[in-house]
Amino acid sequence: MAKARQSLSRLFLNKPSTEELQHQATLKGLAEAAAGKPFILNDEPLRMMYLTPTCMQSVMRIDQPDQLLCAYSRAMMGFLLFNPNPKHIILIGLGGGSLVKYCYQNLPDCRITAVEINADVIAMRRQFMIPDDDARLRIIHADAVEWLPQQECNADVIFLDAYDIHGLVPSLNSAQFYANCYRQLNHSGVLVANVWGKPSVLTPMLTMLHQQFSNNVWWIKSADSYNLLVYAVKHMSRDFEQLHAIEKDSALHLNHPTLDLQWLTNNLQSIQDQRFKPTSENSKNLLQEELIKRLRTVLVHDGNVPQSYTEFKSLILNLDAASRFV
C-alpha cells in the first residue's frame, strides 16, 4: 500500500522552542512599528527583509552582500544551462536584490532591469547594498503587468520572483501575462519563476506555461525550502541532452563556482510527451492530471527544509565559498 503523502500544513504543528518564541515576538514588534510596511531584522552577520512576521522576503550576509544564500536563488541561476550568455535580464520583483547583485557582479556584459511595484521595498536598496543605477542597471518603480507590454522585445531572461503572503500574485499568474513575457523574450529567451503553493494551485500555472511555451517547461524543487523553480524556454536551441554538456563547461564553473549545475540537470523534471501537447481540451486535461501527479511527488515533507529560524540561520551561516544547491 502506498504511503500517504504528508500534508505540508503538518510541518508547522510542532511546538516552538523558547528561542523561536522570542524570535517571533521580535518580528511581531518590528511589524507593528512598521505599520504594514516591509521591515528589516538585523541579526549579524545577517540582514533580512520581512513582508510580515511570517513571510521573510530576502536574506543577506552583511559582509558578503553578493552571495546567494538561499538554494532557490542559486537554482534560479540555472537559466545559464539554457542561455549561457545573456545580454539583458529583466527581474520582476526586487526584494533585497539578491539576484540583481549576483548578476551585476558575475555577468559583467549583461544589462539588468528590475521592476518593483512597492516603493517601500525600493527605499531599502541601500540597506541591502544594491548598486546605484548606471549604464548596466536600472531599478524601476512600476507595476510589471502594465510596464512589460510597453517594452521592446529584447530580454534574454525574465526572472519572475514576485509574490505576496498568499503565494502567487493573481495579476502575474495569467495567460495574458505569460503571453506578454513570451513576447518580450528573445528567440532563445528563458522565463524563470520562483513560486510556492499546493500542487492544486501550481498546476494551472504550469499548464498555462506549457501552452504558451510549447511544452518547453522544466521545474525543480529548491533544496532547502518548498519553493518550486520553473524554467520556460521560448525556443530550444539544443536538446536536453546537450544541457549536460553545457553544465560541464569549464567557463561556467569558473565564473559561477557556487552553482551546482550538474545537480540541476540531474534533477530537472519536465513533460515532453506529445500526448500532453495542449492542442485540445482533452489533451489539456490530461496534461493537468499528469502535472498534479508529478507535483504531488515533489512537494512532500523534506527533512532538509529548516523548521525554525534557528535551523534556517544555522544553514545559512554554514555556507562557504564552495556552497552548493545541496
Side-chain angles (χ1 to χ4, degrees):
M1 182 176 178
K3 186 177 180 180
R5 186 174 69 93
Q6 182 173 353
S7 169
L8 296 185
S9 62
R10 292 189 60 82
L11 301 176
F12 305 99
L13 296 180
N14 295 330
K15 184 178 180 180
S17 66
T18 300
E19 185 177 8
E20 188 69 16
L21 289 172
Q22 291 174 341
H23 174 69
Q24 292 173 5
T26 298
L27 293 176
K28 184 178 179 181
L30 290 170
E32 290 174 351
K37 295 182 179 181
F39 60 92
I40 289 174
L41 171 68
N42 286 314
D43 186 6
E44 292 193 6
L46 302 180
R47 175 169 294 162
M48 289 148 281
M49 180 191 298
Y50 280 81
L51 301 181
T52 72
T54 58
C55 185
M56 181 193 296
Q57 207 287 332
S58 297
V59 59
M60 173 187 79
R61 276 195 71 119
I62 298 171
D63 55 343
Q64 299 178 54
D66 299 331
Q67 187 179 18
L68 293 176
L69 297 180
C70 296
Y72 86 83
S73 59
R74 298 194 295 276
M76 291 187 78
M77 292 301 299
F79 77 81
L80 292 167
L81 291 171
F82 302 97
N83 196 322
N85 299 296
K87 299 302 180 186
H88 184 206
I89 295 175
I90 294 175
L91 297 97
I92 298 174
L94 173 65
S98 300
L99 287 165
V100 167
K101 290 179 289 186
Y102 183 88
C103 292
Y104 188 84
Q105 178 70 25
N106 294 281
L107 297 171
D109 297 325
C110 184
R111 291 186 299 114
I112 301 160
T113 304
V115 184
E116 172 60 54
I117 194 171
N118 191 332
D120 295 319
V121 169
I122 296 175
M124 294 180 177
R125 69 182 292 177
R126 292 198 180 280
Q127 290 162 288
F128 283 89
M129 304 182 193
I130 299 172
D132 292 334
D133 285 11
D134 59 18
R136 290 182 51 223
L137 173 63
R138 285 196 309 154
I139 294 178
I140 298 170
H141 178 213
D143 183 343
V145 173
E146 299 174 357
W147 178 86
L148 195 64
Q150 302 173 17
Q151 307 310 304
E152 297 179 359
C153 305
N154 67 349
D156 296 299
V157 180
I158 296 177
F159 281 130
L160 179 54
D161 191 17
Y163 55 88
D164 59 22
I165 60 174
H166 304 294
L168 293 169
V169 177
S171 61
L172 300 176
N173 183 35
S174 68
Q176 181 60 57
F177 181 75
Y178 295 135
N180 287 333
C181 289
Y182 185 88
R183 281 193 292 270
Q184 297 306 324
L185 288 168
N186 289 328
H187 182 79
S188 58
V190 187
L191 171 65
V192 187
N194 168 38
V195 297
W196 57 273
K198 297 179 180 179
S200 58
V201 173
L202 298 181
T203 293
M205 174 208 181
L206 287 176
T207 301
M208 286 187 282
L209 288 175
H210 271 269
Q211 291 179 302
Q212 183 62 63
F213 286 82
S214 303
N215 276 14
N216 293 324
V217 180
W218 287 262
W219 64 88
I220 193 168
K221 189 189 81 66
S222 171
D224 65 4
S225 69
Y226 292 101
N227 296 55
L228 194 75
L229 295 315
V230 183
Y231 314 83
V233 185
K234 189 168 184 177
H235 295 290
M236 287 291 290
S237 57
R238 56 186 63 85
D239 61 40
F240 186 72
E241 293 303 317
Q242 290 177 297
L243 297 183
H244 287 276
I246 292 174
E247 60 90 357
K248 292 180 173 63
D249 187 311
S250 59
L252 274 182
H253 287 285
L254 181 64
N255 295 329
H256 306 278
T258 63
L259 305 183
D260 192 341
L261 300 177
Q262 181 178 7
W263 177 85
L264 189 65
T265 54
N266 289 341
N267 290 278
L268 279 174
Q269 294 194 31
S270 68
I271 297 177
Q272 298 296 305
D273 194 320
Q274 290 301 307
R275 290 179 302 158
F276 303 120
K277 195 172 182 64
T279 55
S280 68
E281 193 63 29
N282 182 56
S283 59
K284 177 182 175 181
N285 291 337
L286 289 174
L287 174 64
Q288 289 180 321
E289 290 175 7
E290 183 65 18
L291 283 169
I292 199 165
K293 184 191 304 181
R294 297 279 192 95
L295 291 177
R296 282 173 173 166
T297 67
V298 173
L299 298 175
V300 295
H301 174 60
D302 184 348
N304 293 319
V305 176
Q307 299 301 301
S308 67
Y309 174 71
T310 301
E311 292 181 7
F312 171 78
K313 182 179 177 182
S314 176
L315 175 69
I316 294 299
L317 294 182
N318 283 328
L319 291 174
D320 56 29
S323 61
R324 303 291 182 178
F325 286 116
V326 292

